[in-house]
Amino acid sequence: MQLMTGGRGRRHADDGFTLIELVLSVAILGIVSAALCEIVLQYLKTTTDTSARLTESTDQQFISTYWQNDVSSLGRQTLNSSSALTPDQSVFVGSAGPGSCGTAVGTVVVAFAWNEFNVNAANPANAWDVTPHEVAYVTVPAGSRLLLRRVRCRNSAASQPQTVARNLTVSPTIDCDTTCGAATPPNRVSMTFSVKDAANPNSQGYTTTVSADRRQG
């Protein structure tokens, strides 16, 4: 005997999302994605800017280290006809010193000179013999930037040049508290230079000044 079932058939739940749910999901996903994208872009920009600042600050640190030592040493003295020590020009701006130190490497920005007396000579008569010393800071073109190299010379014999800056945009300028090229050397010498990371076109770069004092009397 066949049983007849009356009434409406069983209702089955629909699988998937409704149109409203789908629209809301897409909208929320767009908002979250935009926020994440902004965070990633800001992170990349910050990382690049930080790298540029580190590169640029390295130039300043190297220049400052050598600058202090070199300025503190400058001061040539010569014996006159009365056997008295007299000061002689020790700072040469835009030109090499008496021994032409650095001219074979690049364009001289500034050169410092001083004498070393032979105070330990076995014969006292030789104590006034001097050994000339010079240090020159020279620029060398490198693509869109200038390298700053330091050359030290002893008895006109040059040492291996040292690169102390790699991202200069223009040649540095030199200032002294008195006339730089006077016979009496200045007490303070300053170098102003501008650096900008060549690998980061968005870097603003910066201009700074390093100063040092002469220690010789």
Side-chain angles (χ1 to χ4, degrees):
M1 180 177 179
Q2 186 176 7
L3 296 176
M4 301 294 294
T5 57
R8 291 176 295 181
R10 183 178 300 172
R11 302 178 64 182
H12 297 280
D14 294 330
D15 293 332
F17 298 99
T18 65
L19 179 60
I20 295 177
E21 291 173 335
L22 184 60
V23 170
L24 288 175
S25 299
V26 171
I28 294 173
L29 180 61
I31 295 173
V32 173
S33 298
L36 289 176
C37 183
E38 180 66 24
I39 292 173
V40 171
L41 291 176
Q42 185 62 36
Y43 169 78
L44 293 176
K45 182 179 183 300
T46 301
T47 302
T48 303
D49 291 345
T50 301
S51 176
R53 285 194 294 269
L54 287 174
T55 299
E56 293 162 355
S57 65
T58 298
D59 286 354
Q60 180 182 3
Q61 292 170 5
F62 269 99
I63 293 175
S64 298
T65 299
Y66 289 106
W67 190 256
Q68 179 63 58
N69 292 334
D70 294 336
V71 173
S72 66
S73 299
L74 70 87
R76 285 199 306 155
Q77 294 182 334
T78 57
L79 284 173
N80 59 23
S81 58
S82 302
S83 297
L85 287 173
T86 58
D88 203 351
Q89 182 180 357
S90 304
V91 180
F92 304 84
V93 178
S95 63
S100 299
C101 187
T103 54
V105 177
T107 302
V108 177
V109 176
V110 64
F112 303 129
W114 65 92
N115 292 333
E116 182 182 77
F117 289 93
N118 188 17
V119 294
N120 295 320
N123 184 350
N126 297 329
W128 297 109
D129 294 341
V130 297
T131 300
H133 290 263
E134 293 181 36
V135 166
Y137 287 81
V138 303
T139 55
V140 179
S144 62
R145 296 293 183 268
L146 291 173
L147 302 179
L148 184 66
R149 288 182 171 165
R150 174 184 179 271
V151 185
R152 179 162 183 172
C153 302
R154 184 176 186 271
N155 268 336
S156 298
S159 63
Q160 183 69 24
Q162 298 169 301
T163 300
V164 295
R166 299 179 181 275
N167 294 281
L168 299 184
T169 56
V170 295
S171 182
T173 57
I174 307 299
D175 293 296
C176 304
D177 63 335
T178 58
T179 302
C180 289
T184 301
N187 291 316
R188 168 164 288 198
V189 186
S190 303
M191 174 190 286
T192 300
F193 56 93
S194 299
V195 295
K196 183 178 180 181
D197 184 13
N200 183 3
N202 295 322
S203 171
Q204 298 299 312
Y206 65 90
T207 299
T208 188
T209 300
V210 294
S211 300
D213 296 328
R214 180 174 63 94
R215 300 301 181 192
Q216 291 191 6

